[in-house]
Amino acid sequence: METQSNLRMTRQRQVILEELRRTCSHPGADELYARVRKRLPRISLGTIYRNLEVLSANGDIQKIETGGSLKRFDGNPEPHYHIRCLRCHKVVDAPVAALPEVERLLDGKTDFAITGHRIEFLGICPKCQAED
Amino acid sequence: METQSNLRMTRQRQVILEELRRTCSHPGADELYARVRKRLPRISLGTIYRNLEVLSANGDIQKIETGGSLKRFDGNPEPHYHIRCLRCHKVVDAPVAALPEVERLLDGKTDFAITGHRIEFLGICPKCQAED
DNA sequence: ATCCATGCAAAGCCTTTGCACCCGA
DNA sequence: TCGGGTGCAAAGGCTTTGCATGGAT
C-alpha cells in the first residue's frame, strides 16, 4: 500500500483501494460499494464515502468531478483526462498525455493562484453510436 | 429574444434568461431563483429548474458541469472556460480563448465520436488568498 | 382550441452526519 | 491505550416529477 501519509490502514480502506484500482470503470460510490461488498459483506455505504474522501484527499486516488450528477472515482492518481459519453454517461480515460502547459495560458491574466486544471472530452461512445 | 427554435416564450422563461444574462456569477438554481423572484414573486423553483434545462438544451445558455456538487449556469452560450476557487467554490470565466484544436489530439485514438470538450482551471481566488 | 408551461408539494437520488462501539498503531 | 475508523440509520442538499390549472400561439 503506497500511502504517502500516516493514514491508518484498515481492512475496509485496503479493500476499497484494491477494488478501485482493479476496475477501469471509474465507479461511483454505489458501484464500488457493490464490488467491495462481495469481499466485506458488512461494510457500510458511509464507510465507502468516507474513505473515498480520505483517499482522494491523500492523493491515493482521484475524485473525478465530471459533468454528471454522480461523483466518480479513479484508482489512478496520476494526472490524466477523461472522455464522457453524453448518452450513457460512461467515463473512460482519454488517450492523451496531460498538458501541464495549458495553465500557462493564464499567466498574468488572472489573480487566481492556479493549482491545476481538468479537461473533459464529450462525445458518444461506440456502443451508443451503434444503437442509432 | 434570440431563441433559435420554437420555444414558447413565457414571461417566466424570459425573465430567467434576462436575469441569467445580467449576472456574471454563474449562479446555481437557488441563486437565480432568488434573483428572479424579485420580479416574479410567485415563480416556483421547479420552473427555474425546468427552464434552465430547456434553455441549455436549446443552446441559449450553458450548463456548467463543474466540479462542485451544485449545477451552475452561464448566460453566455459561447464556448469558453472557467476557473473555480477550491476554497469558496466561486466560478469565473477564464481569460483565454477557446482551443478547439485540443479535440484533434484524440484523432484516430478513440472510437468515441467527440463532440466537444471542457476545460476547468482550479485555484484559489484573490479573496481567499487574502484570508490566509 | 391545443398543448406546452406553471405552481405546488411530494418524492428521489446521492451524500453526509451523529452516535456508540471497535480496532489498528 | 486511544484516537481515528466503522456500522447503522437518520438527516440533508439539491433536483426531479405528478398533477391540476393556466397561458402562449
Side-chain angles (χ1 to χ4, degrees):
Chain A
M1 213 81 321
E2 55 278 22
T3 293
Q4 287 92 330
S5 85
N6 44 352
L7 282 189
R8 182 175 297 185
M9 191 47 65
T10 61
R11 178 108 184 92
Q12 289 89 335
R13 189 162 291 164
Q14 188 178 90
V15 172
I16 288 170
L17 196 42
E18 285 173 13
E19 289 301 322
L20 186 54
R21 290 193 170 153
R22 174 169 307 167
T23 179
C24 59
S25 70
H26 308 80
D30 250 53
E31 183 184 333
L32 194 56
Y33 179 45
R35 289 174 184 275
V36 170
R37 207 135 65 130
K38 290 180 185 160
R39 293 173 59 188
L40 301 176
R42 297 193 54 73
I43 199 173
S44 76
L45 229 201
T47 295
I48 302 282
Y49 277 106
R50 277 182 291 230
N51 276 300
L52 287 173
E53 213 49 55
V54 169
L55 289 169
S56 63
N58 195 47
D60 293 315
I61 65 174
Q62 280 190 74
K63 199 188 300 185
I64 322 181
E65 308 193 277
T66 177
S69 56
L70 190 66
K71 273 184 190 163
R72 290 171 171 277
F73 294 83
D74 192 325
N76 174 6
E78 297 305 316
H80 62 284
Y81 306 135
H82 296 101
I83 312 178
R84 176 164 54 101
C85 178
L86 293 169
R87 197 97 86 221
C88 70
H89 310 300
K90 178 192 310 173
V91 174
V92 306
D93 290 335
V96 208
L99 307 167
E101 324 83 65
V102 299
E103 290 173 28
R104 288 212 297 267
L105 291 172
L106 293 176
D107 281 356
K109 301 206 168 174
T110 178
D111 290 327
F112 273 64
I114 302 298
T115 61
H117 72 281
R118 165 166 47 243
I119 301 184
E120 180 183 25
F121 296 94
L122 307 170
I124 308 292
C125 75
K127 187 151 163 288
C128 286
Q129 287 177 54
E131 288 169 7
D132 288 346
Chain B
M1 214 79 322
E2 56 277 23
T3 292
Q4 287 91 329
S5 84
N6 44 351
L7 282 189
R8 184 174 296 187
M9 191 47 64
T10 61
R11 177 106 184 95
Q12 289 89 335
R13 188 161 292 165
Q14 187 177 91
V15 172
I16 288 171
L17 196 42
E18 285 173 11
E19 289 300 321
L20 186 55
R21 292 195 169 151
R22 173 169 308 169
T23 180
C24 58
S25 70
H26 307 81
D30 250 54
E31 182 184 335
L32 194 57
Y33 179 46
R35 289 174 183 276
V36 171
R37 209 139 60 133
K38 290 178 187 162
R39 294 173 58 189
L40 301 176
R42 297 195 52 74
I43 199 172
S44 76
L45 231 201
T47 295
I48 301 282
Y49 277 106
R50 277 182 290 230
N51 275 300
L52 287 173
E53 213 49 56
V54 169
L55 289 169
S56 63
N58 194 48
D60 293 315
I61 64 174
Q62 279 190 74
K63 199 188 300 187
I64 322 180
E65 307 193 278
T66 177
S69 55
L70 190 67
K71 272 184 192 163
R72 289 171 171 278
F73 294 83
D74 192 325
N76 174 5
E78 296 306 315
H80 62 285
Y81 307 134
H82 296 101
I83 313 178
R84 176 164 55 101
C85 177
L86 294 169
R87 197 97 88 222
C88 69
H89 310 299
K90 178 192 310 174
V91 174
V92 307
D93 290 336
V96 208
L99 307 167
E101 325 83 64
V102 300
E103 289 172 30
R104 288 211 299 266
L105 292 172
L106 292 177
D107 281 357
K109 301 206 167 171
T110 178
D111 292 327
F112 273 63
I114 302 298
T115 61
H117 72 280
R118 166 167 44 244
I119 300 184
E120 181 183 25
F121 296 93
L122 308 170
I124 309 292
C125 75
K127 187 151 164 288
C128 286
Q129 289 176 54
E131 287 170 8
D132 289 344

